Amino acid sequence: MELTFAWTAVVLMVITSAGLLFVRDWRWNIILLAIQYLGMFVLTLQHWPIGMASVKVVAGWMSAAILGMTLSGLSEDASAGESLGPRGRLFHLFAAATVVLIIAVVTPAVDTVMADAGFPVTNGGLLLIGMGLLHLGITARILQVAIGLMTVLSGFEILYSAVEGSVLVAALLAVINLGLALVGAYLLIAANAQNTESL
């Protein structure tokens, strides 16, 4: 039963991380990010007790809320995303499929190195790291960069949960997650202020 939940979480993370590449509306980006943290919670629950795993989902949802509240306070012009043409969507689909294929190939080898953390945990962690790096490589928008960094960190946290159960490190990673969201919110506000002054 736990394995079924874990693979469901991996499928959920494939959908949300790929969705973050295609969706340009910031509201949907925040919703997909929150769902992605729910999948991360399920995978960290494979190795951590529910109290420690819930810290991850709460910190993730707080980070998503910080970004969402910041964007809701900005003007529509500042928070609107650029449109993605048909060629852009095709490229993003091809790039996401390539990442998923590479992760599927390397998961068995990495799982062996990770002292048999479990295929779903290894696959989910590597998937988020790969999709987050892809996200960082194809955009320069502040919100997308912040989400890409948070996605990479989420993947690392999933892999880290399989090898270490330190409460202090879990808290430190949660603080780093919140810090990324706060820096992203600050940069969004600063960019909006600069655009307003230039008008």
Side-chain angles (χ1 to χ4, degrees):
M1 193 65 162
E2 285 183 12
L3 201 59
T4 306
F5 279 128
W7 280 115
T8 305
V10 171
V11 171
L12 190 68
M13 286 191 294
V14 169
I15 294 168
T16 56
S17 59
L20 286 168
L21 290 172
F22 295 106
V23 175
R24 287 295 172 250
D25 182 16
W26 67 266
R27 292 168 187 87
W28 280 107
N29 280 329
I30 299 301
I31 290 169
L32 289 171
L33 184 64
I35 295 170
Q36 184 173 286
Y37 277 110
L38 188 62
M40 178 191 156
F41 166 72
V42 172
L43 290 183
T44 54
L45 199 57
Q46 303 299 310
H47 296 280
W48 282 358
I50 192 165
M52 282 178 65
S54 61
V55 167
K56 297 300 175 192
V57 73
V58 169
W61 285 351
M62 286 174 64
S63 301
I66 288 168
L67 291 173
M69 286 188 300
T70 302
L71 286 164
S72 68
L74 300 180
S75 64
E76 280 299 317
D77 293 337
S79 58
E82 78 271 8
S83 61
L84 193 63
R87 289 186 191 162
R89 290 189 189 279
L90 190 61
F91 171 73
H92 287 178
L93 180 64
F94 175 74
T98 304
V99 169
V100 170
L101 184 63
I102 291 170
I103 298 306
V105 170
V106 302
T107 294
V110 175
D111 187 56
T112 305
V113 173
M114 296 279 302
D116 295 325
F119 268 42
V121 172
T122 306
N123 194 283
L126 291 175
L127 178 76
L128 287 185
I129 290 172
M131 292 298 245
L133 290 174
L134 175 63
H135 215 85
L136 291 171
I138 61 176
T139 186
R141 290 181 58 224
I142 295 169
L143 175 64
Q144 303 300 327
V145 169
I147 288 175
L149 288 170
M150 290 163 71
T151 302
V152 170
L153 184 63
S154 298
F156 171 76
E157 289 181 59
I158 291 171
L159 292 176
Y160 193 77
S161 71
V163 295
E164 181 63 49
S166 170
V167 176
L168 187 60
V169 173
L172 178 64
L173 289 171
V175 169
I176 291 171
N177 215 336
L178 290 169
L180 282 173
L182 288 171
V183 169
Y186 171 76
L187 292 174
L188 284 167
I189 292 169
N192 183 50
Q194 187 175 16
N195 291 341
T196 306
E197 287 174 6
S198 64
L199 293 178

